[in-house]
Amino acid sequence: MSQPVSIHQIQAQFGTDSANYEVLTDAAIRSKGVEGAAVEIGVRLGGGLQRIIDGLVESGQTPEKPVFGIDPYGNIEYYRDEIFKEGRCDYTNEMRDVCMINMYLYCRQKNVNFYMFNLEDTEFFTRYADGVPVYADYKQLVNKYSVVHFDGPHTLGALDAEIAFFLGRSDPGAVFVFDDVEMYEHDAVHNQLLEHGMEIAMETPRKWSYFKKEHVDKKWEPVVGTPGWEPNATQYTPVGGPSFNYKIDL
């Protein structure tokens, strides 16, 4: 009969499907001293969220700063980007379960207060427009965001809704990270971000990050793309997820 192992003896395993994840760790570190939760839209197998957590831990922001993950899973159809268009991406509930095993294990080891929202981004915006109740010694209504990773649908329409929600709920110093910028017309988003008080922090082939230099009292208007614009990304193969067969002594 196998003996239970300590929770700290188990290596959490996270899959990724992109590149330039150092941008996420840098963004989390930059957010030190800024009020609000760290959030990722599009968790998938958790590799991006792991890098955000690493930055928060490295800069001493945990467990005080909560971490939110937003992803519906369920293998639903949605318009992903301008390359793959509409369809199913095999983001199944089984993938969710494996990711959550790893994520909650990792957060337990790192002393991170993590909340998973099994929702589409638009559902989250509707249900938590007035804030997210967070419980840690006392009840707190969190309605500010200090670092946001935009890794959900890579379309201008989806990004419009996401940026409009988070921009007004972030203070100067907050950091926004945009993934797979070559899969949609990011230049159009970039120009409007600058008009709303954001400045570039890091620019890499796959991810761009911005920090909020000042608050601009200006409504986010829908981004207008360039007629005939074509994406320049190539298809990549996602990394498979891990499996567990441990007895865990909690």
Side-chain angles (χ1 to χ4, degrees):
M1 185 174 182
S2 60
Q3 294 297 315
V5 296
S6 167
I7 195 170
H8 294 285
Q9 293 177 272
I10 302 173
Q11 178 70 47
Q13 302 174 62
F14 298 99
T16 60
D17 66 353
S18 188
N20 303 127
Y21 286 93
E22 69 278 4
V23 178
L24 295 174
T25 302
D26 175 81
I29 294 172
R30 287 176 185 266
S31 74
K32 184 176 178 63
V34 182
E35 181 183 355
V39 60
E40 178 175 64
I41 302 172
V43 177
R44 198 175 171 272
L45 278 168
L49 205 51
Q50 178 200 14
R51 297 338 192 266
I52 292 172
I53 289 170
D54 288 346
L56 296 176
V57 171
E58 181 180 335
S59 53
Q61 301 184 65
T62 56
E64 292 76 17
K65 180 170 288 188
V67 177
F68 299 163
I70 304 171
D71 200 315
Y73 294 98
N75 197 29
I76 62 173
E77 283 190 300
Y78 74 105
Y79 197 98
R80 178 178 176 182
D81 52 55
E82 299 305 327
I83 295 177
F84 300 107
K85 307 294 184 181
E86 188 173 15
R88 303 182 193 276
C89 297
D90 200 32
Y91 299 164
T92 63
N93 289 334
E94 290 76 15
M95 175 184 283
R96 175 201 62 201
D97 294 346
V98 171
C99 178
M100 291 303 101
I101 289 171
N102 284 277
M103 188 56 64
Y104 280 106
L105 169 65
Y106 199 68
C107 289
R108 176 76 183 274
Q109 293 171 338
K110 300 291 184 178
N111 195 24
V112 171
N113 193 12
F114 172 67
Y115 294 78
M116 181 64 203
F117 297 90
N118 201 176
L119 299 168
E120 297 170 82
D121 51 2
T122 51
E123 297 282 1
F124 179 88
F125 303 155
T126 298
R127 285 157 174 74
Y128 296 100
D130 61 346
V132 176
V134 169
Y135 302 88
D137 295 327
Y138 59 91
K139 180 181 177 179
Q140 178 185 8
L141 192 64
V142 174
N143 202 22
K144 291 286 185 72
Y145 300 90
S146 60
V147 55
V148 182
H149 182 205
F150 298 88
D151 193 15
H154 298 311
T155 67
L156 294 181
L159 286 169
D160 276 332
E162 294 170 354
I163 296 170
F165 182 86
F166 288 109
L167 192 64
R169 293 171 171 81
S170 62
D171 291 336
V175 187
F176 289 0
V177 181
F178 295 87
D179 188 49
D180 293 332
V181 295
E182 74 279 21
M183 301 176 81
Y184 63 93
E185 193 175 354
H186 184 73
D187 284 347
V189 176
H190 169 84
N191 293 334
Q192 193 157 311
L193 286 170
L194 299 185
E195 294 175 5
H196 282 77
M198 306 290 286
E199 290 198 5
I200 193 77
M202 289 186 70
E203 178 182 342
T204 69
R206 296 294 285 271
K207 292 178 175 60
W208 285 27
S209 64
Y210 299 77
F211 69 93
K212 191 171 186 177
K213 185 176 181 180
E214 59 183 340
H215 179 74
V216 175
D217 190 15
K218 181 180 179 182
K219 183 180 178 181
W220 182 268
E221 299 294 339
V223 174
V224 179
T226 302
W229 179 88
E230 292 288 341
N232 59 13
T234 57
Q235 185 172 357
Y236 50 78
T237 302
V239 178
S243 61
F244 277 75
N245 56 1
Y246 299 103
K247 282 188 175 181
I248 303 175
D249 181 10
L250 299 180

